């Protein structure tokens, strides 16, 4: 962290300011130029607030040189992290480190028939994981809120039938006891900065699929991961799912540059959700291909056996047939990227 | 809700579609023009999803005419709601319906001396409520997270000393048992769409200060209020606190047009947080005045006895002296708006 | 400008880099700390590009301490600028330096009857200037594009009838020869970064009303003013008219914090356009009052004698009667701000 | 266009409203449901303003069913448009309709040596076009503004040396006379809504590379194309180059979903500028691959022989060597998309 001191500050004031900074456990490196005095903070500055420093009357500008995250930081962990998920069927799954993870399934679990049928279809097409919402965050209290516990049970039946590991959203920490047989816990965009929940997930040992908040920066997403990792759980899969903008053509703007950005700064795997990002089923194939070309470690795609009758988000769901066709194409893109699908 | 049917659809298909809609409990009003068939949904459409309808292959466009909220809707509750808060001192406080509520205090409770001193100063200047954070949502897990329970105790001491009702943030429902003597529960911007929390607050009977998420629309804020109200708690104070934009000059963009927008659509009181919105103490007076002129029912302002030493958000805090001067000015604006401060 | 040098750079490389910087006419101030070497650029750095510097392989971070504008900068011109506009009637008008300028009129000039009637009405209500579009920037080539030269002639007739100075938009420099009797030239939001046009306006001696682009930062607006001022025309009135966001409730988000921001950084007067910002006539009074309370030096308000029949932007126009009522209220707010309306 | 009439409106008022609409040359289709009366406008509604209609006191809501553009609309021109550009060397170039166009070169033309060297290098690597700025739109009047006419001359020399068609930006219509030997005229993001310029380009017969404004919607980009096409020039190449957002990690957010969006709605070719979008050279390869995978018809990439010494935008330029390596990779992606590079 570099602090430019306001011109005209006395040496005495600067000395007192340095003493105060050093009492907070960092070393301060003083350099006085002809017209500008600059301080450099050396050591672990993750706990030092730029905002607090900026409020000080001696301070002209503050610049953070080091990133404010440690455990998620590639600087301290140069190799890609690979998340391994044990599977009931013959083949264990991995996401990251050259392994692509394809997660597919309906937005909401609706009936036993539906979830088992979709599970079988996406497994046959080559998906590695089944997704399905049991607890659904909905903008309106009057919209379908998911089947809850019953939905979880249906998901577990589909898991038993197909051997596919399951990915489903947790909305509150008290639901965790129901998630024993869930393989990957999804944290939705609206909970990305629910810091109490993030802290509690630090104590959990399951992989966490952490979706980027729809108006959160790359750095904030990594800080949310850091919250979980600081608690001891480093099995985090980051997910880009679109950010808000001024254009309503697509539901959100899919920020594919987030993939190289996140992978440059962090060792964690990054997957993409083209379904929620665009909200339009006909765009999913183009965006899925683009995500792999941009370096994604996987995809999470909504697949529904009857999108028109879906209880939520039908407009963005593709059919099992369309998913099968897409997977055939994606295998070629995976090969170009030298990744295993 | 109006549904434009795709040209070329057969009458039989339309009839089947209508039957399906009516099975969901709405009446469907059919009107066939020379070139466009249009359906109107009559009755309570709050549970009907525009997205699901849009996914149907017969549907060209869907337009919602009625707002998707009921209890927060001014249409069904034309009078302004006034929230009355009992106070330990001589005078009960109200927000809304012509009564301005001024909430002031530090971002974080730090020490007994600090909070009591600030409480006394803001009370003397005319604030009606004391704010102070005990549980703090911070972007970094390594930043000061608030004093927690100890912070709450200090707030209650300040309440005892001054009689000021207190406003403080709740981050998770399990903290509720600690909030017995808290007068107004604040829900922060990052939890505005924590739907599980909102539902649980529906069972609570304390007033809720609900801050707008930094990338949430006016309608989403009202839907968040609706979540709480649907549970039976209609004591909601809405709070505009700035939204994200492309310009980093101010921390957020304070959307003062949200005040007339919210008051047109809803009967709930609306207050403004100029401190978090701008992040700059020197802007607080101008934005506080503008908020009252735009019709706000109150303000929540950060006041710290020593902003440079504040453990968080010092850059946006004004001093007790500055607050006193501001209150003198605000009284004149309140008078112009014919409101009681 | 402060440049943090990458750790591990040799002294020789730094010396060569400094020599190259100094050859561009700035003095470089060298300060070497124990772990970080920092360079400070002294002198006029407005021509030095942060981006070019950032691309250099020795450079870790670049921070601009001084603002990149000079003539628009309050640092070099502490007093408020007041723009005086001579008027055909008895009283000259001013905007800035304690003088409020109220500009009112229809979005587009449509007929002689319309513009003269509106001009008379707004003058009687106390407006200082008449606005009306002759050349209209429209999103669609098939929309009404304004009456052009004929519209200008009608505006000048209204000026002759009422003595009101007129404000109208110039879309291309070749139109300038038609603007001889126009009193204030408006540059629309879509042309705020039409740099060729801005440079040419530098040679003009009429006051320029420069609207903020709908996705331009505070700094970019001041740089646009700087383009005109660098050419020798310093009669610039800045105008906040709303920026784009994710919420479509209002057409744009009116950024009233831009007023204190611009007035802190610059000596130029700042006015507000509540009509275009919100796009909703019923919001104009609240936002007009708020703008004055936030420190605006004036307003530009759409007034139409028959908003429902307006050829453009009727939804945001108020009637002459509503304008008269509003002016009565605004006088009280002007008085509180100790400004002359 | 569908117009929902306010409940309670008399038949007489509706009849008068219909008569007024029909006098504007559209047929109005009346349909009266039990609780909602709806009008449908039939015929060419591109000249009808939704905003004007919305201002009418009888109108509840207005919904546009047809897109407001005609010539750019795929509905009236189902085949992909292919832009053919004659070239001085042996092979003519095309963009669109299965032909990929790769445009490469420096942000600014600086010297004869530079531009000729870059031209040779990018040609050898397989670029089809040379780009280089002579007239540069810069945020600051004190930044390097391009070499102007001299820059154009140097570009033409590079064209003569290599046979590469050239692409360069036009900032004002009076520069057109200098562009005789320019092959493709680029219109920058800041001029995308300079409607006077767009109209004048309608009379020109050269291909226009039209960049999306950094805060313009998909529809606005197509309307800007429509302005040029309405004048008779239908050789438009659309270019996605990033939009503004709240995150400053990348300079802009590259909206790759704009590719399928534009290609669904329009027959015009769509290319992508990964250099300006991200502002970071190390991201260009990932984003270039993703653009092709998303269906782009080409790319415009900044290549500089010495990015660190570039007079502008060095941070985002790749070297000729890096460009050569990238082209080898892009050929594989082009093959997967069955396009000719």
């Amino acid at each position: 962290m570099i602090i430019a001191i306001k011109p005209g500050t006395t040496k005495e004031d600067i000395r007192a300011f340095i003493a105060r900074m050093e009492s907070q456990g960092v070393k301060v490196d003083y350099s006085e130029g002809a017209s500008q005095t600059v301080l450099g903070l050396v050591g672990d500055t993750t706990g030092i607030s730029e905002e607090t420093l900026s409020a000080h009357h001696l301070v002209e500008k503050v610049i953070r040189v080091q990133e404010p995250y440690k455990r998620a930081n590639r600087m301290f962990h140069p190799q890609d992290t690979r998340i391994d998920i044990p599977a009931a069927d013959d083949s264990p799954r991995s996401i990251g480190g050259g392994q692509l993870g394809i997660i597919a399934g309906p937005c909401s679990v609706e009936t036993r028939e539906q979830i088992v049928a979709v599970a079988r279809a996406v497994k046959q097409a080559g998906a590695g994981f089944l997704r399905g919402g049991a607890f659904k965050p909905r903008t309106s209290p009057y919209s379908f809120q998911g089947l809850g516990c019953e939905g979880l049970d249906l998901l577990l039946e589909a898991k038993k039938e197909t051997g596919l590991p399951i990915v489903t959203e947790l909305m509150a920490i008290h639901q965790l006891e129901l998630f024993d047989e869930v393989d990957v816990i999804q944290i939705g965009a609206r909970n990305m900065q629910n810091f109490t929940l993030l802290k509690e997930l630090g104590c959990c040992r399951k992989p966490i699929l952490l979706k980027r908040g729809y108006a959160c920066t790359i750095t904030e997403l990594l800080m949310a991961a850091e919250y979980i990792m600081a608690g001891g759980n480093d099995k985090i899969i980051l997910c880009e799912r679109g950010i808000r903008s001024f254009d309503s053509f697509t539901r959100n703007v899919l920020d594919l540059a987030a993939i190289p950005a996140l992978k440059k700064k962090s060792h964690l795997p990054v997957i993409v959700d083209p379904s929620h990002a665009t909200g339009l089923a006909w765009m999913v194939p183009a965006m899925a291909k683009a995500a792999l070309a941009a370096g994604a470690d996987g995809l999470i795609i909504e697949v529904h056996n009857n999108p028109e009758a879906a209880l939520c988000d039908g407009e963005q769901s593709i059919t099992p047939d369309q998913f099968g066709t897409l997977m055939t194409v994606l295998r070629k893109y995976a090969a170009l990227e030298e990744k295993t699908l």
Side-chain angles (χ1 to χ4, degrees), chain A:
Chain A
M1 217 175 241
I2 294 174
I3 303 171
I5 296 293
K6 282 209 183 124
T9 307
T10 66
K11 290 210 173 178
E12 210 171 340
D13 281 349
I14 295 177
R15 237 174 284 138
F17 181 69
I18 292 177
R20 190 174 145 217
M21 295 305 312
E22 295 197 328
S23 74
Q24 294 185 34
V26 290
K27 212 185 138 305
V28 179
D29 188 7
Y30 173 88
S31 42
E32 186 185 343
S35 68
Q36 178 84 57
T37 298
V38 168
L39 307 181
L41 303 198
V42 188
D44 180 3
T45 60
T46 49
I48 306 274
S49 157
E50 283 158 83
E51 289 186 345
T52 306
L53 279 179
S54 299
H56 198 280
H57 70 280
L58 301 185
V59 172
E60 176 91 38
K61 286 249 173 174
V62 178
I63 319 103
R64 188 178 276 284
V65 177
Q66 265 188 302
E67 304 299 347
Y69 38 87
K70 288 184 285 196
R71 289 164 195 261
N73 199 327
R74 189 178 281 277
M75 186 181 289
F76 309 119
H77 187 307
Q79 298 81 10
D80 281 355
T81 282
R82 195 181 80 189
I83 311 285
D84 297 314
I85 295 111
D89 65 0
D90 39 355
S91 52
R93 270 77 171 180
S94 301
I95 298 180
Q99 306 290 314
L100 290 178
I102 307 292
I103 305 166
C107 183
S108 292
V109 181
E110 295 167 15
T111 62
R112 191 186 189 286
E113 292 63 41
Q114 172 233 24
I115 192 66
V116 172
V118 173
R120 285 200 175 119
V122 301
K123 181 173 185 180
Q124 195 179 2
F129 303 81
L130 176 66
R131 59 151 292 163
F135 302 97
K136 299 294 306 170
R138 302 301 301 275
T139 306
S140 166
Y142 309 120
S143 297
F144 173 61
Q145 308 272 319
L147 294 182
C149 307
E150 189 196 334
L152 267 186
D153 286 344
L154 297 178
L155 267 177
L156 295 177
E157 286 196 50
K159 177 182 177 176
K160 211 189 299 176
E161 293 273 343
T162 59
L164 286 175
I166 62 175
V167 181
T168 195
E169 181 163 355
L170 177 125
M171 286 179 67
I173 200 64
H174 68 260
Q175 294 163 349
L176 192 58
E177 58 180 359
L178 305 167
F179 275 57
D180 256 10
E181 294 180 66
V182 168
D183 300 281
V184 178
I185 297 175
Q186 178 178 320
I187 298 301
R190 286 167 185 76
N191 272 326
M192 193 204 91
Q193 292 196 318
N194 180 341
F195 300 119
T196 311
L197 181 60
L198 298 178
K199 277 185 200 171
E200 282 163 332
L201 291 169
C203 307
C204 159
R205 288 298 166 268
K206 284 183 191 294
I208 308 292
L209 171 51
L210 181 64
K211 292 191 137 190
R212 179 182 183 185
Y214 53 64
C216 291
T217 64
I218 300 288
T219 301
E220 286 169 341
L221 172 55
L222 290 171
M223 292 309 287
E226 189 81 11
Y227 256 99
I228 303 173
M229 297 172 92
N233 183 355
D234 55 5
K235 286 183 265 179
I236 316 281
I237 302 158
L238 304 171
C239 181
E240 161 62 29
R241 44 77 74 206
I243 55 176
R244 290 216 156 161
S245 89
F246 53 86
D247 195 351
S248 58
F249 193 99
T250 46
R251 185 192 288 173
N252 294 284
V253 170
L254 183 59
D255 177 15
L256 288 178
I259 305 169
L262 288 167
K263 295 186 79 68
K264 174 115 179 171
K265 293 294 179 181
S266 178
H267 50 90
L268 295 172
V270 181
I271 70 167
V272 167
D273 179 346
S275 309
H276 272 89
T278 62
L280 298 166
W282 59 267
M283 272 203 186
V284 167
M287 291 299 102
K289 293 188 294 175
L292 294 198
D297 296 303
L299 295 164
I300 177 164
I301 294 179
E302 283 192 19
V303 179
H304 195 284
N305 48 349
N306 184 7
E308 295 194 355
L311 292 178
C312 80
D313 285 342
E315 203 172 11
Q316 73 198 34
S317 294
I318 60 175
T319 62
D321 277 1
Q322 290 166 331
F323 179 70
T325 307
L326 176 58
M327 284 297 287
T328 308
V329 174
L330 292 180
R331 279 196 190 87
K332 296 177 191 162
Y333 283 85
L336 275 197
E337 294 288 317
E338 294 174 4
K339 283 182 181 156
T340 309
L341 180 62

Short mmCIF file of all heavy atoms in Angstrom, two decimals, chain A residues 261-282:
data_model
loop_
_atom_site.label_atom_id
_atom_site.label_comp_id
_atom_site.label_asym_id
_atom_site.label_seq_id
_atom_site.Cartn_x
_atom_site.Cartn_y
_atom_site.Cartn_z
N ALA A 261 -9.68 -12.98 -16.05
CA ALA A 261 -9.38 -12.11 -14.90
C ALA A 261 -9.25 -12.94 -13.63
O ALA A 261 -8.26 -12.85 -12.89
CB ALA A 261 -10.47 -11.05 -14.75
N LEU A 262 -10.25 -13.77 -13.37
CA LEU A 262 -10.25 -14.57 -12.14
C LEU A 262 -9.10 -15.58 -12.15
O LEU A 262 -8.46 -15.82 -11.13
CB LEU A 262 -11.59 -15.31 -11.99
CG LEU A 262 -12.79 -14.42 -11.62
CD1 LEU A 262 -14.09 -15.18 -11.82
CD2 LEU A 262 -12.66 -13.92 -10.18
N LYS A 263 -8.82 -16.16 -13.33
CA LYS A 263 -7.78 -17.17 -13.37
C LYS A 263 -6.38 -16.56 -13.27
O LYS A 263 -5.45 -17.22 -12.81
CB LYS A 263 -7.94 -18.04 -14.63
CG LYS A 263 -9.25 -18.84 -14.58
CD LYS A 263 -9.42 -19.82 -15.71
CE LYS A 263 -8.63 -21.08 -15.50
NZ LYS A 263 -9.11 -21.91 -14.39
N LYS A 264 -6.26 -15.30 -13.66
CA LYS A 264 -4.97 -14.61 -13.48
C LYS A 264 -4.73 -14.32 -12.00
O LYS A 264 -3.62 -14.48 -11.50
CB LYS A 264 -5.00 -13.28 -14.24
CG LYS A 264 -3.80 -12.39 -14.04
CD LYS A 264 -3.05 -12.24 -15.31
CE LYS A 264 -1.84 -11.36 -15.23
NZ LYS A 264 -1.06 -11.45 -16.46
N LYS A 265 -5.76 -13.91 -11.30
CA LYS A 265 -5.60 -13.47 -9.92
C LYS A 265 -5.71 -14.63 -8.93
O LYS A 265 -5.21 -14.55 -7.82
CB LYS A 265 -6.70 -12.44 -9.58
CG LYS A 265 -6.57 -11.14 -10.33
CD LYS A 265 -5.31 -10.40 -9.90
CE LYS A 265 -5.11 -9.11 -10.64
NZ LYS A 265 -3.85 -8.45 -10.21
N SER A 266 -6.41 -15.69 -9.33
CA SER A 266 -6.70 -16.76 -8.38
C SER A 266 -6.43 -18.13 -8.98
O SER A 266 -6.43 -18.31 -10.21
CB SER A 266 -8.17 -16.67 -7.95
OG SER A 266 -8.50 -17.72 -7.07
N HIS A 267 -6.23 -19.11 -8.12
CA HIS A 267 -6.00 -20.49 -8.53
C HIS A 267 -7.30 -21.29 -8.58
O HIS A 267 -7.28 -22.47 -8.93
CB HIS A 267 -5.03 -21.16 -7.54
CG HIS A 267 -5.44 -20.97 -6.11
ND1 HIS A 267 -6.26 -21.85 -5.46
CD2 HIS A 267 -5.18 -19.97 -5.24
CE1 HIS A 267 -6.48 -21.41 -4.21
NE2 HIS A 267 -5.84 -20.27 -4.06
N LEU A 268 -8.39 -20.65 -8.19
CA LEU A 268 -9.66 -21.39 -8.09
C LEU A 268 -10.28 -21.64 -9.47
O LEU A 268 -10.11 -20.83 -10.38
CB LEU A 268 -10.65 -20.59 -7.22
CG LEU A 268 -10.25 -20.41 -5.75
CD1 LEU A 268 -11.19 -19.43 -5.06
CD2 LEU A 268 -10.22 -21.75 -5.01
N PRO A 269 -11.00 -22.75 -9.64
CA PRO A 269 -11.67 -22.99 -10.92
C PRO A 269 -12.84 -22.02 -11.14
O PRO A 269 -13.43 -21.53 -10.18
CB PRO A 269 -12.19 -24.42 -10.81
CG PRO A 269 -12.18 -24.76 -9.36
CD PRO A 269 -11.17 -23.88 -8.70
N VAL A 270 -13.12 -21.75 -12.39
CA VAL A 270 -14.15 -20.78 -12.78
C VAL A 270 -15.10 -21.43 -13.78
O VAL A 270 -14.65 -21.92 -14.82
CB VAL A 270 -13.53 -19.54 -13.45
CG1 VAL A 270 -14.61 -18.53 -13.82
CG2 VAL A 270 -12.48 -18.90 -12.55
N ILE A 271 -16.38 -21.47 -13.46
CA ILE A 271 -17.35 -21.97 -14.43
C ILE A 271 -18.31 -20.86 -14.81
O ILE A 271 -18.30 -19.77 -14.22
CB ILE A 271 -18.11 -23.21 -13.91
CG1 ILE A 271 -19.07 -22.83 -12.78
CG2 ILE A 271 -17.14 -24.30 -13.42
CD1 ILE A 271 -20.06 -23.96 -12.46
N VAL A 272 -19.14 -21.15 -15.81
CA VAL A 272 -20.02 -20.11 -16.36
C VAL A 272 -21.45 -20.63 -16.45
O VAL A 272 -21.67 -21.80 -16.78
CB VAL A 272 -19.51 -19.68 -17.76
CG1 VAL A 272 -20.55 -18.84 -18.51
CG2 VAL A 272 -18.22 -18.87 -17.60
N ASP A 273 -22.41 -19.77 -16.16
CA ASP A 273 -23.83 -20.10 -16.26
C ASP A 273 -24.44 -19.28 -17.40
O ASP A 273 -24.87 -18.15 -17.20
CB ASP A 273 -24.53 -19.76 -14.93
CG ASP A 273 -26.03 -20.03 -14.96
OD1 ASP A 273 -26.58 -20.21 -16.05
OD2 ASP A 273 -26.63 -20.04 -13.88
N PRO A 274 -24.48 -19.85 -18.61
CA PRO A 274 -25.00 -19.08 -19.75
C PRO A 274 -26.52 -18.95 -19.71
O PRO A 274 -27.07 -18.08 -20.37
CB PRO A 274 -24.56 -19.89 -20.97
CG PRO A 274 -24.42 -21.29 -20.47
CD PRO A 274 -24.02 -21.18 -19.02
N SER A 275 -27.19 -19.78 -18.93
CA SER A 275 -28.66 -19.78 -18.90
C SER A 275 -29.19 -18.59 -18.12
O SER A 275 -29.99 -17.80 -18.63
CB SER A 275 -29.17 -21.08 -18.28
OG SER A 275 -28.58 -22.20 -18.89
N HIS A 276 -28.73 -18.41 -16.88
CA HIS A 276 -29.18 -17.27 -16.10
C HIS A 276 -28.64 -15.97 -16.67
O HIS A 276 -29.28 -14.94 -16.59
CB HIS A 276 -28.71 -17.39 -14.64
CG HIS A 276 -29.66 -18.14 -13.80
ND1 HIS A 276 -29.59 -19.50 -13.67
CD2 HIS A 276 -30.75 -17.75 -13.08
CE1 HIS A 276 -30.58 -19.91 -12.88
NE2 HIS A 276 -31.29 -18.87 -12.53
N ALA A 277 -27.44 -16.03 -17.21
CA ALA A 277 -26.80 -14.81 -17.70
C ALA A 277 -27.64 -14.16 -18.79
O ALA A 277 -27.88 -12.96 -18.77
CB ALA A 277 -25.40 -15.12 -18.23
N THR A 278 -28.08 -14.97 -19.74
CA THR A 278 -28.78 -14.38 -20.88
C THR A 278 -30.29 -14.44 -20.70
O THR A 278 -31.01 -13.60 -21.22
CB THR A 278 -28.43 -15.12 -22.18
OG1 THR A 278 -28.87 -16.49 -22.07
CG2 THR A 278 -26.93 -15.12 -22.43
N GLY A 279 -30.78 -15.48 -20.01
CA GLY A 279 -32.22 -15.63 -19.85
C GLY A 279 -32.92 -16.08 -21.12
O GLY A 279 -34.14 -16.07 -21.20
N LEU A 280 -32.14 -16.47 -22.13
CA LEU A 280 -32.71 -16.82 -23.43
C LEU A 280 -32.11 -18.15 -23.91
O LEU A 280 -30.91 -18.23 -24.21
CB LEU A 280 -32.38 -15.73 -24.46
CG LEU A 280 -32.97 -14.34 -24.16
CD1 LEU A 280 -32.31 -13.28 -25.03
CD2 LEU A 280 -34.48 -14.34 -24.37
N ALA A 281 -32.97 -19.17 -24.02
CA ALA A 281 -32.48 -20.50 -24.38
C ALA A 281 -31.70 -20.51 -25.70
O ALA A 281 -30.69 -21.20 -25.82
CB ALA A 281 -33.67 -21.46 -24.47
N TRP A 282 -32.14 -19.72 -26.67
CA TRP A 282 -31.48 -19.77 -27.98
C TRP A 282 -30.07 -19.19 -27.96
O TRP A 282 -29.31 -19.37 -28.90
CB TRP A 282 -32.34 -19.10 -29.06
CG TRP A 282 -32.70 -17.66 -28.82
CD1 TRP A 282 -33.83 -17.19 -28.22
CD2 TRP A 282 -31.95 -16.50 -29.19
NE1 TRP A 282 -33.82 -15.82 -28.18
CE2 TRP A 282 -32.68 -15.37 -28.77
CE3 TRP A 282 -30.72 -16.30 -29.82
CZ2 TRP A 282 -32.24 -14.06 -28.98
CZ3 TRP A 282 -30.26 -15.00 -30.03
CH2 TRP A 282 -31.02 -13.90 -29.60
#
